[in-house]
Amino acid sequence: MKPEALIEFKQGADGLEIVGSGAWTAANAGRLDALVEAAPRREERHVKFDMARVREFDTYGAWLLERLLRSCGKDLVSPQGLPDRFRALFDKVHETNRRGVSPGIRRNWLLGGVEKIGRSTEGAAEDAVRYVAAIGAFATALGEILLNPRRLRFTSLVYQLDRVGLRSVPIIVLITLLIGAIIAQQGIFHFRRFGAGDYVVDLIGILVLREIGVLIVSIMVAGRSGSSYTAELGSMKMREEIDALRTMGRNPIEVLVLPRVAALVLALPLLTFIGSMAALYGGALVAWFYGGMDPGIFASRLSEAVSISDFEVGMIKSPFMALVIGIVACVEGLKVKGSAESLGAQTTTSVVKSIFSVIVMDGLFAMFFSAIGM
Amino acid sequence: MLDLNTSLAIRLNDLVVGFGDKIVIDHLALDVVAGEIFGLVGASGGGKSVLLRAILGLVPKRQGRIEIFGVDRDSANPHDLQELERRWGVLYQQGALFSSLSVFQNIEFPMREYLDLSPRTMREVATAKLEMVGLAPEDGDKLPATLSGGMTKRVALARALALDPQIVFLDEPTSGLDPIAAGEFDALIRTLHQTLKITVFMITHDLESLRTVCDRIAALADGKIAAIGSMGAMFESEHPWVRSYFRGDRGRSLLRRAAS
């Protein structure tokens, strides 16, 4: 089927005649747009319009007609023959786009790059201030709770403990068990070549208790619980719930942040312990089935290989990891602005930042412990 | 087939919608005439929004028939459904603007999806729409989070009108606006109705909008249409809920003002 003609340009002796017909609607807007653009420019000559045969007309048709009129320099002339039922719409559209859309400011790409660096530096500085302020506010709230323990939101604390502690046990046990098993398998496989297969127990024991247990658990908690803290606080911020709390004279740090961070600080050592045990268990299973080491021998070698200080090193680190994860998650959550996009961006930032901080902290702790000889 | 020349824009027959044990819409029948401004009132939580969402196909119905411009969602082919979805615009109660897009991008979104237009034309038509709903072109680059309640509603209306729909559904268009802004919004709906020749289906609680804007009103009570007709018919209805709604203190004072 041949599409109907929408517009015709008739070159007459006394000037240009523009004849419109058919449906000047959204469905034909693309075609009409091209036709209007292709219109001969005849500003100086006489232009006549005949719109009587336009059957349908909507805002798109009205705007393209208006654009055609303006391009012909006939701004003040109305299109002859436009059926009356379309007149009101045309008059309405005729009034629009008068001021012209201001073009966006064009930026030099070099200056733009410098500007970006400047802005992110500024952002980093603001962030540093924000984090110091958050730690301060958290410490103040904690101090007030310690002076007046009845202000502690016990229900909220228990609820958060359940969420971030108890409910993450299955996944943490599963992952750490697998990691322990993988380390044991690799250890046995490589140590065997120089007949030192039994030393895999030392490897697993020290590695898991000192480093892997706490690291894996912290990273998982940052991904699992830190992200949900950020998303929760962020959407509360978006819906003005935080402001509502504040106007009721309640400090959001005390009501929302403190129970969450406290729950993490309590839960993470427990999870670290459970995770470390699961990793050792996974290692023992692999040593038994793959390395042929009896579980009894594994246990007795383990008790020789590791000292209590290895265990302590892992456990001492865990509440600090929890503190970092909790504070990063809450600060990023409170930074959320109005849009859904910013909620997503802050949640990502929260997870990336907390995992990064956990690993940096772990490095600092390693230096500290070797300096004090633990 | 989508029939735009039909005299009935919406035709509901024996419609039943429920959740679990609860029947929200109970064997409801309703016709909306093409080209009219139709107002739906009802108690909060009485199923107005559910009815709207059922018409839009957002909640499943249990029974009955929903026809919009002669298209029944159950038996329509995908092409007709697409065509239908292009011919309606919806103004949600909270605006439901895409928060990560600017005002212009929000209005241009349906155009980008359905029409093949140059960016320049899209921007110009979007500007025209923005000015038609009473905003300035400068507002186009703002993000939804920075808009006031009244502006959000106007932008949402501009987006609902982006494709020049045949019918727009408005869910409490004036709720949350001050009386002046609400009055202006009512006037805007009237003007756009006249210039664009659209059918308007609006849910509202605002007695003033019902009186000034709507051609016909239906009162929804207990999942059924309790009364339907002009404002006068509402005042005459003997249904207990309709009586307390229209002849309560606020309704009476409105009537007095209308009379004087």
Side-chain angles (χ1 to χ4, degrees):
Chain A
M1 197 179 86
K2 190 172 162 287
E4 58 180 343
L6 296 169
I7 192 165
E8 245 183 295
F9 300 100
K10 286 185 188 158
Q11 200 67 252
D14 56 342
L16 182 70
E17 194 183 7
I18 297 175
V19 183
S21 61
W24 284 46
T25 56
N28 289 331
R31 212 150 57 84
L32 199 57
D33 190 7
L35 289 169
V36 165
E37 279 310 293
R41 300 272 172 262
R42 286 285 183 277
E43 294 195 12
E44 74 286 358
R45 294 181 57 179
H46 188 63
V47 182
K48 244 173 61 188
F49 277 89
D50 179 11
M51 305 300 293
R53 279 187 292 148
V54 172
R55 193 159 36 80
E56 286 175 55
F57 198 64
D58 68 7
T59 319
Y60 291 84
W63 169 249
L64 290 167
L65 176 60
E66 173 66 19
R67 193 207 273 170
L68 187 62
L69 281 166
R70 285 187 198 177
S71 75
C72 291
K74 294 278 171 191
D75 189 21
L76 300 172
V77 177
S78 62
Q80 285 101 336
L82 187 70
D84 282 343
R85 62 184 192 281
F86 303 143
R87 182 60 65 173
L89 174 61
F90 178 75
D91 289 345
K92 193 95 189 170
V93 172
H94 180 66
E95 292 159 17
T96 65
N97 275 300
R98 284 284 156 193
R99 272 182 283 170
V101 187
S102 64
I105 304 157
R106 282 196 173 272
R107 288 204 171 86
N108 182 313
W109 66 270
L110 191 66
L111 286 178
V114 175
E115 188 189 328
K116 255 184 213 159
I117 295 172
R119 287 205 188 277
S120 57
T121 312
E122 203 179 44
E126 277 172 19
D127 243 22
V129 172
R130 197 175 280 133
Y131 274 97
V132 172
I135 292 168
F138 180 76
T140 316
L142 189 67
E144 280 172 19
I145 295 280
L146 290 179
L147 287 178
N148 188 2
R150 287 172 68 187
R151 275 173 66 181
L152 176 69
R153 275 152 216 279
F154 191 70
T155 319
S156 170
L157 179 66
V158 172
Y159 172 70
Q160 298 296 344
L161 260 178
D162 176 55
R163 269 186 49 194
V164 303
L166 200 58
R167 287 181 201 204
S168 47
V169 168
I171 185 71
I172 279 177
V173 167
L174 179 69
I175 300 276
T176 47
L177 188 88
L178 290 175
I179 299 244
I182 291 164
I183 293 172
Q185 190 272 336
Q186 287 293 306
I188 292 167
F189 181 75
H190 289 283
F191 285 175
R192 245 184 205 164
R193 278 193 284 183
F194 26 105
D198 289 356
Y199 281 100
V200 75
V201 182
D202 300 59
L203 172 74
I204 295 184
I206 293 174
L207 200 57
V208 163
L209 291 181
R210 286 186 86 103
E211 299 293 337
I212 295 292
V214 64
L215 262 186
I216 294 292
V217 170
S218 300
I219 288 170
M220 289 203 49
V221 165
R224 188 187 175 278
S225 308
S227 61
S228 85
Y229 281 2
T230 308
E232 259 169 34
L233 293 179
S235 65
M236 288 180 81
K237 176 93 185 291
M238 271 164 87
R239 287 189 286 167
E240 299 176 321
E241 291 173 43
I242 307 261
D243 296 337
L245 260 179
R246 203 165 267 148
T247 49
M248 287 177 213
R250 285 283 154 256
N251 179 3
I253 302 284
E254 185 189 313
V255 178
L256 300 172
V257 175
L258 193 77
R260 284 180 168 77
V261 177
L264 268 190
V265 170
L266 291 177
L268 201 66
L270 299 173
L271 291 174
T272 301
F273 177 76
I274 294 170
S276 303
M277 292 309 119
L280 292 179
Y281 189 74
L285 281 181
V286 169
W288 188 15
F289 291 114
Y290 179 73
M293 186 189 285
D294 192 74
I297 298 174
F298 186 93
S300 66
R301 281 199 69 98
L302 189 67
S303 69
E304 285 166 29
V306 300
S307 64
I308 190 70
S309 75
D310 292 323
F311 177 69
E312 281 169 0
V313 164
M315 295 305 286
I316 288 169
K317 284 193 281 196
S318 60
F320 292 95
M321 304 296 193
L323 197 63
V324 168
I325 296 168
I327 286 182
V328 168
C330 292
V331 170
E332 295 300 323
L334 294 177
K335 260 161 68 180
V336 168
K337 302 221 166 46
S339 73
E341 197 185 10
S342 109
L343 181 61
Q346 293 309 331
T347 309
T348 309
T349 314
S350 154
V351 174
V352 171
K353 266 190 192 167
S354 46
I355 291 179
F356 173 75
S357 328
V358 158
I359 289 171
V360 169
M361 286 263 292
D362 194 58
L364 294 177
F365 268 117
M367 281 153 63
F368 171 72
F369 285 127
S370 62
I372 64 166
M374 258 178 103
Chain B
M1 208 28 225
L2 191 71
D3 180 10
L4 296 174
N5 298 318
T6 173
S7 59
L8 285 184
I10 305 175
R11 172 165 220 173
L12 308 179
N13 215 332
D14 195 30
L15 183 68
V16 180
V17 182
F19 304 101
D21 300 338
K22 198 169 176 248
I23 300 289
V24 182
I25 301 295
D26 184 13
H27 297 280
L28 178 140
L30 181 66
D31 290 336
V32 176
V33 180
E36 72 176 342
I37 301 186
F38 188 87
L40 182 69
V41 294
S44 291
K48 301 183 302 298
S49 293
V50 173
L51 178 60
L52 176 64
R53 292 169 67 82
I55 295 173
L56 295 172
L58 296 172
V59 296
K61 62 181 180 352
R62 291 212 178 142
Q63 193 185 322
R65 236 173 116 77
I66 300 172
E67 264 177 50
I68 302 167
F69 290 114
V71 175
D72 181 356
R73 296 187 77 90
D74 298 332
S75 55
N77 60 39
H79 174 263
D80 277 353
L81 269 185
Q82 269 252 309
E83 195 68 3
L84 176 66
E85 278 159 11
R86 215 185 96 175
R87 301 297 181 146
W88 76 29
V90 186
L91 169 67
Y92 291 94
Q93 205 171 347
Q94 310 294 339
L97 296 175
F98 302 125
S99 58
S100 53
L101 301 180
S102 73
V103 166
F104 271 140
Q105 288 167 331
N106 262 289
I107 303 173
E108 287 168 10
F109 182 81
M111 303 180 193
R112 234 177 264 282
E113 295 299 310
Y114 281 105
L115 307 176
D116 179 27
L117 288 179
S118 65
R120 175 188 159 201
T121 307
M122 276 199 285
R123 184 52 55 96
E124 284 168 350
V125 175
T127 311
K129 302 269 179 196
L130 204 58
E131 290 183 53
M132 282 164 89
V133 298
L135 295 173
E138 290 76 41
D139 297 323
D141 292 317
K142 291 182 181 159
L143 283 172
T146 63
L147 300 177
S148 69
M151 283 167 86
T152 305
K153 296 249 176 188
R154 282 169 191 262
V155 174
L157 183 63
R159 187 180 70 178
L161 295 172
L163 294 173
D164 276 62
Q166 250 68 31
I167 181 163
V168 286
F169 296 92
L170 313 176
D171 191 357
E172 303 206 14
T174 54
S175 73
L177 300 185
D178 67 79
I180 300 170
E184 285 170 357
F185 205 82
D186 284 341
L188 176 67
I189 293 169
R190 257 254 171 270
T191 344
L192 291 176
H193 169 253
Q194 275 157 9
T195 49
L196 301 173
K197 314 247 182 309
I198 43 180
T199 312
V200 179
F201 180 96
M202 65 194 268
I203 290 177
T204 184
H205 275 305
D206 191 337
L207 285 164
E208 192 66 34
S209 337
L210 285 171
R211 188 176 69 80
T212 54
V213 182
C214 296
D215 299 322
R216 265 189 338 137
I217 301 164
L220 184 69
D222 307 322
K224 291 187 164 78
I225 299 295
I228 188 162
S230 65
M231 197 69 177
M234 291 296 123
F235 281 112
E236 279 156 23
S237 168
E238 287 305 319
H239 188 280
W241 185 84
V242 180
R243 253 175 63 181
S244 60
Y245 189 91
F246 286 94
R247 285 190 257 172
D249 284 345
R250 296 171 68 144
R252 269 206 306 276
S253 71
L254 191 76
L255 190 66
R256 264 200 303 282
R257 250 184 308 148
S260 62

